[in-house]
Amino acid sequence: MVRTGRASFAQERLYFLDQLQPGNPAYVVAFAVHLRGALRPEALCTALTRVVARHDALRTTFAVVDGVLTQRVSSTPAVDVDITADGWVDRATQEAHLRTLVAEQARQPFDLADGPVVRAFLRSWGPDEHGLAVLVHHIACDGWSVGLLLRDLAAEYDATVDGSVAAYDEPAGSYLAYAERQHETWRRDSSGLEFWRAALVDVPQLALPTDFPRPSVLGTTGAVLR
């Protein structure tokens, strides 16, 4: 069964950017964590599947219908988990391996039409040394959501190992319902748009100095300075 509905404004923006520059890695949310101690890979895969089942956005694909972007939420949680067991290496090598893995996989595009929008990689360097890398398209996840995903994954893993059901303070909300409320609010009152159009009508063009000439083709090459 597939539930459908209008995409949210944020989904529309990110879908447009994906169509403008297919495969742009700037919109891949990627993170990796070390898992130390005994680990059951099959339980982790089950836990990740349960997390995807809990959150609509992680099971959503997109299609343009009559000029309108529609989100399609599948009832089947599909998760691609690549599991590899390697020989033991020191912690520094593990860190380098995870960084390389995330960098390489972040350059692999997501298919927003067919999905899935999340994939994961589990690497083991012994019975007590593991690394988990997760990549999600930004249309389904943001930086704040990463903490929620890790929290839910830990809860589901513990429940899977114990043979129980994970307990949550509240059920996960429906993103389909959220998008519908968003559009209903906009249909009821879009006066904010007219306010800003009037407020900005005579604003001069802003010219910011740059270190280098603007390229003719938009790129995402950059760096991080801490």
Side-chain angles (χ1 to χ4, degrees):
M1 178 181 177
V2 176
R3 293 178 292 129
T4 62
R6 180 81 180 267
S8 71
F9 296 139
Q11 288 173 329
E12 289 176 347
R13 290 193 295 270
L14 287 162
Y15 184 87
F16 170 80
L17 291 170
D18 182 75
Q19 295 296 295
L20 183 67
Q21 287 188 301
N24 187 341
Y27 299 100
V28 175
V29 178
F31 58 94
V33 292
H34 274 285
L35 306 171
R36 297 194 170 100
L39 180 74
R40 289 170 49 184
E42 73 286 354
L44 185 66
C45 292
T46 299
L48 187 56
T49 300
R50 290 180 177 179
V51 171
V52 173
R54 173 173 161 78
H55 297 284
D56 282 359
L58 300 177
R59 306 191 313 279
T60 300
T61 55
F62 301 87
V64 177
V65 180
D66 297 329
V68 176
L69 183 63
T70 300
Q71 52 175 321
R72 304 175 301 188
V73 182
S74 172
S75 60
T76 304
V79 187
D80 181 15
V81 184
D82 182 286
I83 302 175
T84 302
D86 297 321
W88 186 90
V89 293
D90 58 79
R91 295 282 173 82
T93 304
Q94 294 177 24
E95 293 280 356
H97 182 94
L98 283 179
R99 284 196 298 270
T100 300
L101 175 64
V102 168
E104 291 176 347
Q105 288 300 319
R107 291 192 291 270
Q108 303 302 315
F110 284 95
D111 186 344
L112 299 185
D114 295 323
V117 294
V118 56
R119 55 180 179 261
F121 300 81
L122 178 64
R123 297 292 180 261
S124 296
W125 297 284
D128 299 319
E129 296 285 346
H130 317 273
L132 175 67
V134 180
L135 299 97
V136 192
H137 193 282
H138 192 22
I139 204 167
C141 179
D142 58 16
W144 182 79
S145 304
V146 169
L148 297 181
L149 291 179
L150 289 174
R151 179 204 65 185
D152 288 2
L153 181 60
E156 293 290 359
Y157 178 81
D158 289 343
T160 301
V161 171
D162 294 339
S164 59
V165 177
Y168 294 100
D169 294 334
E170 56 186 21
S174 166
Y175 198 78
L176 273 174
Y178 165 79
E180 179 54 38
R181 290 195 303 270
Q182 188 182 59
H183 284 283
E184 177 58 33
T185 300
W186 178 256
R187 288 189 293 267
R188 190 168 57 248
D189 181 14
S190 58
S191 59
L193 178 61
E194 297 306 320
F195 168 82
W196 285 109
R197 280 176 171 165
L200 301 175
V201 65
D202 295 322
V203 171
Q205 182 177 351
L206 180 64
L208 293 175
T210 60
D211 294 329
F212 304 99
R214 186 183 183 90
S216 58
V217 178
L218 177 65
T220 58
T221 301
V224 175
L225 177 64
R226 298 190 186 279

